[in-house]
Amino acid sequence: MLRAIELARRGEGAVEPNPMVGAVLVDADLRYIAEGWHQRFGGPHAEIHALACAGERARGATLFVTLEPCAHHGKTPPCADAVIQAGVARVVVGSLDPFPQVDGRGIAKLRAAGIPVETGLLDDEVQRLNAPFRKLVQTGLPWVHAKWAMTLDGRIASRTGESKWISNPKSRKLTHALRGRMDGILVGIGTALADDPLLTARPPGPRTALRIVVDSLARLPVDSQLVRTACESPVLVATTINAPADRRSALEQAGVEVLTLQATKPFHQVGGPFATSPQVDLRELLLELGRRRLTNLFCEGGGSLLGGLHDANLLDELHVFVAPKLLGGAGALSPILGTGRSAPPVHSSLIDLKIESLDQDVYIHGRVRP
């Protein structure tokens, strides 16, 4: 099963909104026969690849698979049927599939055909592997990754708004690799105005992310890099009914999709004339992205947007790059604003914590504790 999990990870970024799945076939003495993984969305599933590689050797074999074989006709025929037809003698499943059209039906079909099925082997590891898929299926919300680069004193930009470059080239290379496997990249209008970013993966990864700007008053300039490249890579501006109609229309005419959502009460921002303006309802935005089957959403700030997501308990995973630099200054920007907590949490805010050195930067990665 550990090998099947390792294989499954090879599909990361290529299979979403489907889950990552790996499969291994062994004989009665647990000797290797064949293996496979789900390689791309719409393509054959892991079990099908493994069975094809095994051929007649699959008859009488044991199949280890990270996720319950499907039992319905989707983009491909049911894997449970293929397992039965191949003559597999036993199946060991890591975790049940929460997708409503599967959800135990695959296992029931195998057992009805007389195939013994064991479930739950390394279930925790398999559930962590497909946490974004499970969240989308069970809640309708995408898995939200938050990323920022900060100095030793916890600043993401100086008092003048300068942030290039806090992190080093190695950290930025990893950021681009992360972008390349995301379904959407999210920033607030403050970041869009200050940095005029492209929000693309360079070099391109397996996915082309929808670039999303949370912009309650539709202030994104039509001559920004995002708008000028909307025909090359899609851009969505999430705004509110408070946004002037002419601004919304100008963005649409430039090829940007404008999504008008309900406004909610303002969350804390750092001064300026728009600090108290109504804001986009972030949960409604994420629900809409979930309806579009976006599985992994990469939020790159700024502090007001990250603070709003944090206050609403919408952050799932953090990617933080800490550079050995100092900025100082009361007006320098922090990564997470919003209302925040009234006291430090008793336990670490992250689980599955990993810390890595990237030249002199430190990369801190983990999942937000539920």
Side-chain angles (χ1 to χ4, degrees), residues 18-19 21 45 47 66-72 93-107 123 126-127 130 133-134 137-138:
N18 282 354
V21 183
H45 292 181
E47 304 94 315
T66 56
L67 197 68
E68 172 185 5
C70 63
H72 68 293
V93 173
S95 183
L96 301 185
D97 189 340
F99 189 65
Q101 290 177 276
V102 185
D103 197 18
R105 291 176 177 84
I107 290 171
D123 180 72
V126 174
Q127 291 209 31
N130 281 313
F133 165 75
R134 302 184 78 88
V137 169
Q138 294 170 339

Side-chain angles (χ1 to χ4, degrees), residues 4 23 42 60-62 88 137 141 145 149 177 179 182 224 240 255 272 311 316 326:
T62 293
V88 170
V137 169
L141 296 169
H145 303 252
R179 283 180 179 179
M182 297 291 161
S224 64
T240 69
D311 286 345
D316 297 298
L326 295 172

Side-chain angles (χ1 to χ4, degrees), residues 1-344:
M1 189 61 74
L2 286 171
R3 175 58 178 168
I5 291 171
E6 181 183 354
L7 291 167
R9 292 191 185 280
R10 296 184 182 182
E12 188 173 56
V15 303
E16 292 85 354
N18 282 354
M20 294 177 279
V21 183
V24 177
L25 281 163
V26 298
D27 66 16
D29 296 316
L30 297 182
R31 291 176 298 197
Y32 172 88
I33 296 175
E35 63 188 23
W37 68 95
H38 187 27
Q39 298 179 10
R40 60 177 180 83
F41 178 70
H45 292 181
E47 304 94 315
I48 305 304
H49 280 293
L51 292 171
C53 289
E56 284 301 314
R57 293 177 297 160
R59 190 163 301 279
T62 293
L63 171 68
F64 287 83
V65 61
T66 56
L67 197 68
E68 172 185 5
C70 63
H72 68 293
H73 283 270
K75 290 187 176 295
T76 60
C79 291
D81 290 354
V83 172
I84 295 166
Q85 291 165 9
V88 170
R90 174 172 165 256
V91 176
V92 182
V93 173
S95 183
L96 301 185
D97 189 340
F99 189 65
Q101 290 177 276
V102 185
D103 197 18
R105 291 176 177 84
I107 290 171
K109 180 175 280 194
L110 293 172
R111 286 175 173 160
I115 299 175
V117 180
E118 298 175 29
T119 62
L121 181 60
L122 299 183
D123 180 72
D124 288 345
E125 288 88 340
V126 174
Q127 291 209 31
R128 285 198 296 271
L129 171 73
N130 281 313
F133 165 75
R134 302 184 78 88
K135 183 185 179 188
L136 182 61
V137 169
Q138 294 170 339
T139 71
L141 296 169
W143 186 264
V144 181
H145 303 252
K147 172 266 170 182
W148 67 83
M150 67 181 185
T151 59
L152 279 178
D153 53 335
R155 305 300 187 182
I156 60 171
S158 72
R159 57 182 172 78
T160 62
E162 290 295 321
S163 62
K164 295 182 179 179
W165 292 101
I166 288 176
S167 60
N168 65 29
K170 198 168 184 178
S171 295
R172 297 198 296 275
K173 182 178 180 180
L174 178 53
T175 296
H176 281 283
L178 289 167
R179 283 180 179 179
R181 67 174 182 84
M182 297 291 161
D183 299 298
I185 299 174
L186 181 70
V187 297
I189 183 59
T191 297
L193 292 175
D195 297 344
D196 190 23
L198 270 173
L199 302 181
T200 54
R202 302 183 292 277
R207 306 188 80 74
T208 299
L210 174 65
R211 299 174 294 169
I212 307 157
V213 182
V214 178
D215 184 5
S216 60
L217 296 177
R219 291 187 286 149
L220 185 66
V222 293
D223 62 349
S224 64
Q225 289 198 95
L226 285 167
V227 176
R228 287 189 284 109
T229 58
C231 60
E232 303 166 19
S233 182
V235 177
L236 182 148
V237 168
T239 190
T240 69
I241 56 174
N242 300 82
D246 59 335
R247 290 182 186 168
R248 284 184 275 168
S249 177
L251 289 170
E252 289 174 333
Q253 290 175 13
V256 172
E257 180 184 359
V258 177
L259 176 65
T260 303
L261 297 166
Q262 291 294 324
T264 187
K265 63 181 180 181
F267 46 78
H268 174 73
Q269 298 190 69
V270 185
F274 301 99
T276 58
S277 63
Q279 301 299 314
V280 170
D281 187 318
L282 295 177
R283 181 170 288 274
E284 285 301 312
L285 171 58
L286 294 192
L287 283 170
E288 172 57 28
L289 298 178
R291 283 189 285 270
R292 300 180 184 207
R293 311 304 294 165
L294 272 69
T295 306
N296 288 284
L297 182 65
F298 198 48
C299 180
E300 297 199 40
S304 295
L305 176 58
L306 285 168
L309 291 167
H310 176 255
D311 286 345
N313 294 315
L314 293 171
L315 295 178
D316 297 298
E317 191 167 339
L318 301 187
H319 305 265
V320 181
F321 300 88
V322 183
K325 301 175 181 179
L326 295 172
L327 270 174
L333 302 180
S334 298
I336 296 183
L337 299 176
T339 302
R341 296 178 181 271
S342 59

